[in-house]
Amino acid sequence: MTFEEIKALDEQYVMHSYGRFPVALDHGTGATLWDVDGREYIDFTAGIGVTSLGHGDEGWLKAVTAQAVKLGHISNLFYTEPYAKAAQKLCSRTRMSNVMFGNSGAEANEAMIKLARKWSYDKYGKGRGTIITLHNSFHGRTITTLAATGQDKFHDYFFPFTEGFRYADANDLDSLEAVAGHDVCAVMVELIQGEGGVLPLDKEFVQKTAALCAKRDWLLLIDEVQTGVGRTGTLFAFQQYQIQPDAVSFAKGIAGGLPFGGVMAGEKCRDVFTPGTHGTTFGGNPVAAAAACYVLDTIDTKPFLEAVCEKGRYLCQRIEGMELPCLGKTRGLGLMLGVKVKGDRTNRELAARLIENGLLVLTAGPDLRLLPPLTITREEMDKGLAIMKETLS
Ligand SMILES: *Cc1c(COP(=O)(O)O)cnc(C)c1O
């Protein structure tokens, strides 16, 4: 099919809930993609931080196809090996206790919210279900995770939202204490606010928040849906903040492109969910779990994670070095990068121009966001940077 044919079908039969760019992608390898007309693109998006090993990684394909041939799905009523192994790999590498698997980031956060509220209910009874989140955060698109998201623009249309969320300013402990109360059971944060604009939290704020949580017996919940699985240069971003959270959600990059996610619990809340209190049909699907095992084994090595940091530094240094009129400073960790947009053009306009010229990028807040596959090569980065320089000069 041609691009125009695909677009016509999509416009007629798909709900118009996305502002799509006018490209129909067909196939890819590594961080290089081709559209249906054979045009080449360099991928600085990894499908919004999902295809962590790039497109068509050979080991990933082998792991996925081998499991698909054996057993594609069986539900949570039975045990499977990849499921148990993925859980073990996650916990043993993070000093967390156990895992509940789901299929997406929002669902992972729903599970984390339910975990916190039931933990508090079991210990203190009713009336202590409020969770403090941060302004500018993003936690998902279900009714409850929209309520958890600290941005007004997400609190429209879908009333009534789930109650029990209060918002504090990032990097401001006074603001956090100002919304505290006897009804609070947890604080939930992203360590780098992703959709909100690639805004890293200060180490000091995070550590003081962890201390406050310990003092008031609140759970510290970390949303690592975007920052997790090697994206920031450690397996999870919290490992760079010298904290041990009570629960950590993950999704996006965990299975290299298949829908997978979940929540890890620390010792305090390892026994909160009991049979019948939470569940999902697809969660922990063996094919996605086999993919997750392969991704975790590949990413969690010192040379791989060091390379992620090195590539991130290289991109930042080259982008700032171009001194383009419309781009300013870079920020972020590992390969989760934000680039300041300045001048008259919006980030969306710049992204459209870059995509038109063969470089896929993302936006976040008012700026550009780059989440390339963690396996991106120097050659692919240079190609992408050349497109950026030519397009935006
Ligand atoms: C993307 C994202 C989510 C939502 O994940 P979905 O898979 O789209 O449901 C939640 N939290 C953070 C931090 C995210 O980046």
Side-chain angles (χ1 to χ4, degrees):
M1 284 173 85
T2 66
F3 166 70
E4 290 302 335
E5 287 166 343
I6 295 168
K7 185 179 169 198
L9 268 192
D10 192 294
E11 298 237 308
Q12 184 171 355
Y13 291 109
V14 179
M15 292 186 194
H16 294 182
S17 57
Y18 300 101
R20 292 201 209 284
F21 292 101
V23 177
L25 290 158
D26 187 67
H27 60 282
T29 159
T32 309
L33 289 158
W34 288 270
D35 68 13
V36 289
D37 299 319
R39 283 203 57 207
E40 186 184 297
Y41 299 80
I42 297 297
D43 184 9
F44 280 5
T45 73
I48 322 188
V50 169
T51 48
S52 35
L53 302 182
H55 304 280
D57 178 86
E58 261 182 45
W60 179 88
L61 278 172
K62 256 195 214 150
V64 167
T65 47
Q67 183 56 44
V69 167
K70 265 170 70 178
L71 183 67
H73 176 78
I74 194 58
S75 90
N76 278 297
L77 300 176
F78 304 96
Y79 297 95
T80 63
E81 182 177 320
Y83 190 116
K85 275 192 171 163
Q88 181 205 19
K89 285 176 199 297
L90 279 163
C91 293
S92 63
R93 288 161 184 188
T94 54
R95 295 171 48 219
M96 300 301 286
S97 300
N98 55 15
V99 178
M100 163 101 205
F101 287 128
N103 310 284
S104 69
E107 211 187 319
N109 286 333
E110 285 268 349
M112 189 155 73
I113 290 161
K114 287 177 80 173
L115 186 80
R117 287 184 170 175
K118 186 168 181 298
W119 169 80
S120 189
Y121 177 86
D122 289 346
K123 189 165 175 184
Y124 295 98
K126 274 190 180 161
R128 197 177 178 274
T130 297
I131 296 174
I132 301 175
T133 65
L134 299 181
H135 287 129
N136 240 335
S137 58
F138 181 81
H139 297 297
R141 295 283 194 161
T142 62
I143 295 274
T144 296
T145 55
L146 280 175
T149 293
Q151 299 187 55
D152 287 342
K153 69 173 182 196
F154 289 107
H155 300 159
D156 233 334
Y157 319 121
F158 309 114
F159 308 102
F161 287 94
T162 308
E163 40 185 283
F165 293 95
R166 284 208 291 274
Y167 317 104
D169 292 334
N171 298 323
D172 182 347
L173 204 72
D174 292 340
S175 159
L176 202 109
E177 284 185 311
V179 296
H182 295 298
D183 58 342
V184 171
C185 66
V187 176
M188 172 169 165
V189 302
E190 301 156 86
L191 294 170
I192 303 178
Q193 297 186 321
E195 308 297 313
V198 193
L199 308 168
L201 296 190
D202 299 339
K203 211 175 226 179
E204 194 193 340
F205 171 75
V206 173
Q207 290 177 351
K208 285 191 168 160
T209 300
L212 185 66
C213 286
K215 187 174 139 205
R216 310 216 25 180
D217 204 21
W218 299 339
L219 297 182
L220 178 59
L221 314 177
I222 308 291
D223 177 351
E224 293 238 27
V225 168
Q226 192 158 155
T227 52
V229 202
R231 179 54 56 189
T232 66
T234 45
L235 185 58
F236 284 89
F238 82 79
Q239 294 165 317
Q240 295 177 54
Y241 281 79
Q242 284 88 46
I243 53 165
Q244 189 63 32
D246 296 303
V248 179
S249 61
F250 56 89
K252 290 197 165 86
I254 178 81
L258 293 178
F260 203 56
V263 59
M264 292 185 274
E267 213 41 38
K268 252 189 194 177
C269 34
R270 62 168 296 140
D271 296 321
V272 169
F273 287 148
T274 50
T277 50
H278 191 45
T280 152
T281 301
F282 284 109
N285 167 279
V287 178
C293 287
Y294 182 76
V295 169
L296 288 167
D297 285 344
T298 306
I299 281 174
D300 196 23
T301 70
K302 210 166 165 227
F304 189 99
L305 292 170
E306 273 172 5
V308 168
C309 296
E310 217 267 303
K311 290 173 196 181
R313 281 194 295 270
Y314 178 71
L315 284 175
C316 288
Q317 178 212 327
R318 287 284 315 272
I319 291 168
E320 291 187 2
M322 288 178 201
E323 298 190 357
L324 296 166
C326 53
L327 296 184
K329 285 247 170 247
T330 59
R331 60 185 181 272
L333 281 174
L335 280 170
M336 180 169 178
L337 304 173
V339 187
K340 176 104 197 112
V341 167
K342 50 183 202 187
D344 304 333
R345 295 248 161 74
T346 65
N347 57 353
R348 176 89 195 173
E349 287 167 331
L350 296 186
R353 293 274 304 277
L354 288 167
I355 292 167
E356 200 185 310
N357 287 307
L359 176 64
L360 305 188
V361 297
L362 297 160
T363 60
D367 295 329
L368 288 182
R369 175 174 43 149
L370 310 180
L371 302 173
L374 306 180
T375 50
I376 192 168
T377 62
R378 177 65 70 100
E379 196 192 349
E380 287 168 324
M381 287 192 285
D382 286 343
K383 265 194 190 175
L385 290 164
I387 295 169
M388 188 179 278
K389 189 166 180 187
E390 209 176 288
T391 308
L392 303 181
S393 279

